[in-house]
Amino acid sequence: MHVIAILAAAMLFGTTGTSQALGPSGTTPLSIGVMRMVIGGTGLALLAFLLAARHARRSPAPRPPLGIRPLSLMVLTGLCLALYQPLFFLGTERNGVAVGTVVALGSAPILAGLLEWALTRRMPTTTWMAATALATAGVVLLGFGGSAGGAGGTDGLGLLGSIGAGASFAVIANAQRRLLDAGWDPFTVVGAMGASSAAVSVLAVPFVDLAWMQTPAGFVMALWLGLATISVAYVLFTWGLSGLTAATAATLTLGEPLTAAVLGIVVLDERLSVLAIVGLTVLGAGLALLAWGSRAPRDPAPFAVEG
C-alpha cells in the first residue's frame, strides 16, 4: 500500500501543468499559484494535523519543544512552497508542460544536494556527482532545444522559472529534513508547511485577478490543483514515505516527471525538437541514477515536487 500511495501521489503531482494548460483563459502563473495554495494549503493543514493528532494518540512520544528555530523552519517551508507555485507555472506556461515540469523536477534534487553540501560540508557521493553532471547536461540541451518546428531554443525566463521552482523545493527538503531529524512528526511538519503557505498566499489574493475563478472551468481547475495535487497528494506521499526506504521512494517519484511529460505530449499535443528530446532523455538518466544511488537515508534523493 505504501508503494501505491507514493505512486499515486507522484501521478497527481504530474497532472499539475496539464491542468493549468487546460484551464480557462485569463489566468496568470501568480493567480493560479495563489489560489492553489489558499485551497490546497488549507486542506493539507487540516488533513495533516488530524493525522498527526491521531498518530500522537496511538504513539504517545514526547514532542520536541516549539522554539524559534523549528517554528522558523516550518514557516520557511510554507514561504518556499508559496514561492514555488508562480515559478513553476511560469516555466510550464513559457516552455510547455513536458519541458517546464521535467526541468523543475530535475533541478530540485540536484539543488537540494548542493544546499545540503553547503550547510553540512558533507562530501556528496560519486554517484550523486555523476547524476548531477548528467542532469545538468540535460538541462543545457533543453535550453538549446525547444519545440519541434519552432525558432529553436527554450525560453530563458521560463527556464529560470523552472529552476527557481526547483531551488524553492530544495530549501523545503533541507528544512524538513532538519525538523524530522529533531524528532518532529512528519504530518506535523507537512501540516505546518500547508498552513503557512496558505496564510502567505491569502495576503496576495487582493493583488491578483481572480475573474477566471467565476467560470466553471476555472473553479474546477482551482479545486483540482488545490485539493488533489496538494492536499491529497502530500498526505499520500508523507504516509507512503513512512513505510519505504529512501531508494524505493526516490525511484517511485520518477513517475511524476513521466506523467507530466506523457500528458504534455499526448493530451496537449506538445512536440519537441530532437535536441530537446535528447535533453529530456539525458536528464531522465540523471534522475534514474540519482534514485538508484539513494540508498542512505540522508542522500539527496529526488523527493517528489508537486508539479
Side-chain angles (χ1 to χ4, degrees), residues 39-130:
I39 297 172
T42 302
L44 176 60
L46 292 174
L47 286 174
F49 285 147
L50 284 174
L51 291 171
R54 181 184 178 188
H55 185 233
R57 289 194 298 270
R58 290 188 173 185
S59 304
R63 190 179 69 175
L66 183 61
I68 295 178
R69 184 174 184 273
L71 183 60
S72 299
L73 288 175
M74 290 179 187
V75 172
L76 178 61
T77 61
L79 287 171
C80 288
L81 186 59
L83 179 62
Y84 175 97
Q85 307 305 315
L87 292 173
F88 174 83
F89 288 122
L90 175 64
T92 56
E93 181 184 62
R94 294 250 177 182
N95 288 319
V97 173
V99 172
T101 303
V102 173
V103 170
L105 302 182
S107 63
I110 305 304
L111 295 171
L114 290 173
L115 180 58
E116 184 179 36
W117 185 14
L119 292 173
T120 66
R121 303 299 180 188
R122 202 168 61 91
M123 183 64 69
T125 64
T126 303
T127 301
W128 184 87
M129 288 189 284

Side-chain angles (χ1 to χ4, degrees), residues 193-218:
M193 178 179 69
S196 53
S197 64
V200 170
S201 298
V202 164
L203 298 177
V205 168
F207 304 100
V208 295
D209 182 5
L210 298 176
W212 55 269
M213 276 285 293
Q214 300 174 17
T215 67

Side-chain angles (χ1 to χ4, degrees), residues 220-265:
V220 170
M221 180 187 72
L223 286 181
W224 175 263
L225 288 176
L227 298 180
T229 71
I230 293 290
S231 306
V232 174
Y234 260 112
V235 167
L236 286 173
F237 184 72
T238 303
W239 180 76
L241 278 178
S242 66
L244 298 175
T245 64
T248 300
T251 302
L252 290 171
T253 57
L254 294 178
E256 183 181 355
L258 177 62
T259 299
V262 169
L263 288 175
I265 293 170

Side-chain angles (χ1 to χ4, degrees), residues 167-193:
S168 299
F169 191 80
V171 176
I172 293 173
N174 277 275
Q176 289 187 338
R177 180 76 267 169
R178 276 146 187 75
L179 289 167
L180 295 175
D181 286 348
W184 286 93
D185 179 81
F187 284 112
T188 299
V189 172
V190 172
M193 178 179 69

